[in-house]
Amino acid sequence: MGAYIARRVLLMFPTLLGILFVSFVVVQFAPGGPVERVIAQLSGADTGASRVSGSSGGDFGNRAQPGATGDAVNSKYRGAQGLDPDFVKSLEKQFGFDKPAPERFALMLWNFARFDFGKSYFRDTTVLQLIKEKLPVSMSLGIWMMLITYLISIPLGIRKAVQDGSRFDTWTSAVIIVGFAIPGFLFAILLIILFSGGSFWSIFPLRGLTSDGWSQFPWYWKIIDYFWHMTLPLISMVLGAFATMTLLTKNSFLDEIRKQYVMTARAKGCNERQVLYNHIFRNAMLIVIAGFPGAFIHAFFSGSLLIETIFSLDGLGLLGFESVLNRDYPVVFGTLFIFSLVGLVVNLLSDLAYMWIDPRIDFEAREV
């Protein structure tokens, strides 16, 4: 076991290197960039991406000197006509683009190895501080979504498998299919219309994770207020994941129920509960556990983007999206590195959980 864990940990380093390298190369060929964004702001041609995060571009407007050199035109950047070439060069130096790409990539790797992700280009704070500020929202959505999904979907999927073809299986399947067919963001809008003062009732709040003055509330009212704000976003996020996990669990158990060893266990006198939980459970749960890493990463870092936007929840999904729009590369690469590292660690933990569910799995004999 120890040798397998060591091999997996060592393989994380080239994997992270490959992810960062491919992303860095893609960024080099992507149109636009932080310099172009500042130039667009100065020329009045900003597309509005910067306004998503409310950033103002720092003090660039005060440093610009449009028309300072008359006919001087910097052909490297579109829209740089009329700007002092020295000013454009100062922008390149400030953003680090005065160095060749290989040197910038090597410097980024050296900083990331020390968990130094730098500062945001357009926000006066470090990348780690930004992630720390946004993490509570994503953790709240992700943890509760995963907990609710697994607590409901696994027992329901098992019961549907045991009662396959029954009336219970039929009507629950109909509900699940309808839930799966409705996009989460569309259901979120429907919930807002119904319960957040859209056209009917005004029961739940429309924005934020807590109410104003939350820190002054009694502890029991803090809990109530927190879940009051979380109710609609969680319902919207759980809908699709709930349907997928339930059907996955049902199909996995159905495959195991039909196998020969189940008939053998019954022939030996085991009752249905013993057959289900002593023999079928650990085999059927392997495929459910295999999907946990992807579901975990999706719930925490990407699946909540539209929900965060609709309910005005400032989390990691929205941070990453705004950073890509604004070409805020330190935030983009910093969050990419952290998300990838977390994903690799969770993937390893998922493999180790196989052994807990089924001790017959031998990691020492498995080739990586």
Side-chain angles (χ1 to χ4, degrees), residues 88-110:
V88 176
K89 290 181 180 179
S90 70
L91 288 180
E92 290 181 329
K93 184 176 182 180
Q94 181 166 347
F95 292 127
F97 288 94
D98 57 327
K99 301 180 181 69
E103 183 178 346
R104 285 188 279 120
F105 182 68
L107 180 61
M108 182 181 71
L109 292 181
W110 169 246

Side-chain angles (χ1 to χ4, degrees), residues 38 56 65 67 82 86 94-95 100 102 109 114 119 121 127 147 152-153 180 185 190 280 295 314 318 334 343 365:
V38 174
S56 61
Q65 300 293 331
D86 291 335
Q94 181 166 347
F95 292 127
L109 292 181
R114 297 177 292 133
K119 293 184 64 175
Y121 284 159
V127 174
L147 185 61
I152 295 177
S153 298
F180 183 76
F185 73 91
L190 176 62
I280 298 175
D314 197 6
L318 191 58

Side-chain angles (χ1 to χ4, degrees), residues 176-198:
I176 288 171
I177 292 173
V178 171
F180 183 76
I182 301 176
F185 73 91
L186 186 61
F187 193 70
I189 296 174
L190 176 62
L191 291 177
I192 289 175
I193 294 174
L194 292 176
F195 302 111
S196 289

Side-chain angles (χ1 to χ4, degrees), residues 182-196 206 232-237 239 306-311:
I182 301 176
F185 73 91
L186 186 61
F187 193 70
I189 296 174
L190 176 62
L191 291 177
I192 289 175
I193 294 174
L194 292 176
F195 302 111
S196 289
L206 186 56
L232 297 188
L234 281 177
I235 292 175
S236 304
M237 291 184 65
L239 192 64
L306 291 175
I307 303 301
E308 288 177 9
T309 304
I310 292 171
F311 290 99

Side-chain angles (χ1 to χ4, degrees), residues 125-146:
T125 185
T126 63
V127 174
L128 283 178
Q129 183 61 34
L130 274 175
I131 294 175
K132 182 180 178 181
E133 292 174 359
K134 313 299 182 184
L135 190 59
V137 173
S138 295
M139 285 188 63
S140 295
L141 292 173
I143 290 175
W144 288 114
M145 172 188 168
M146 295 294 295

Side-chain angles (χ1 to χ4, degrees), residues 290-304:
F292 177 78
F296 178 88
I297 299 300
H298 177 77
F300 269 76
F301 304 128
S302 58
S304 60

